[in-house]
């Protein structure tokens, strides 16, 4: 099987410039040779980058949605607890008022006796 290297050296004769220099290309398979083949390899690499960018964008969007979901739930819970707290405070004040009325009534009864 033909191996792929992370960096590939292409001989000057195969280089698009034809300058006689050694051309170094990133992430191109070794078996691509010749001007057309090199161009195809470059296009494949660019297409792969575009595909990875799209996948990354989708992944990032999913991650943001999960993060938003994690923050939305506590916000709803806080609102629910605030409402419950307000209701309990109201009930407590009503009970306190009722207890005070009872104490006043007892004191009046003691004074009459």
């Amino acid at each position: 099987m033909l191996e792929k290297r992370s960096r590939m050296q292409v001989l000057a004769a195969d280089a698009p410039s034809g300058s006689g220099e050694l051309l170094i290309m990133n992430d191109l398979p070794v078996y691509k040779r010749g001007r057309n083949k090199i161009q195809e390899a470059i296009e494949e690499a660019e297409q792969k980058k575009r595909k990875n960018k799209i996948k990354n964008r989708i992944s990032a969007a999913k991650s943001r949605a999960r993060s938003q979901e994690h923050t939305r739930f506590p916000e709803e819970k806080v609102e629910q607890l605030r409402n419950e707290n307000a209701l309990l405070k109201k009930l407590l004040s009503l009970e306190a008022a009722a207890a005070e009325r009872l104490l006043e009534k007892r004191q009046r009864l003691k004074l009459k006796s």
Side-chain angles (χ1 to χ4, degrees):
M1 176 159 192
L2 297 173
E3 82 179 271
K4 290 186 178 184
R5 299 180 191 162
S6 63
R7 295 180 71 83
M8 179 182 119
Q9 295 179 346
V10 179
L11 295 177
D14 293 335
S17 64
S19 62
E21 299 174 359
L22 191 64
L23 181 65
I24 298 175
M25 305 177 82
N26 293 330
D27 299 324
L28 294 179
V30 173
Y31 56 86
K32 299 285 183 178
R33 299 282 183 207
R35 287 178 198 245
N36 289 338
K37 296 293 183 180
I38 291 172
Q39 188 62 34
E40 288 175 18
I42 291 170
E43 288 172 3
E44 285 177 19
E46 288 172 353
Q47 185 177 7
K48 185 177 177 182
K49 280 183 184 181
R50 284 191 299 270
K51 186 178 176 182
N52 286 340
K53 264 188 180 180
I54 291 169
K55 283 183 179 181
N56 190 34
R57 285 181 184 161
I58 292 169
S59 177
K62 286 180 182 178
S63 177
R64 283 190 299 274
R66 281 191 305 269
S67 177
Q68 198 173 35
E69 182 67 26
H70 287 299
T71 57
R72 189 172 55 92
F73 174 74
E75 288 172 358
E76 290 174 355
K77 188 68 174 175
V78 165
E79 186 63 30
Q80 176 190 356
L81 291 173
R82 281 186 180 149
N83 292 338
E84 185 179 345
N85 192 26
L87 177 65
L88 291 173
K89 283 181 179 180
K90 193 174 190 178
L91 288 174
L92 182 63
S93 68
L94 290 174
E95 288 295 322
E100 192 170 325
R101 283 194 303 271
L102 279 175
L103 285 175
E104 288 174 3
K105 197 173 193 180
R106 280 186 184 170
Q107 286 175 353
R108 275 188 257 141
L109 287 174
K110 281 185 183 180
L111 291 176
K112 286 184 179 181
S113 314

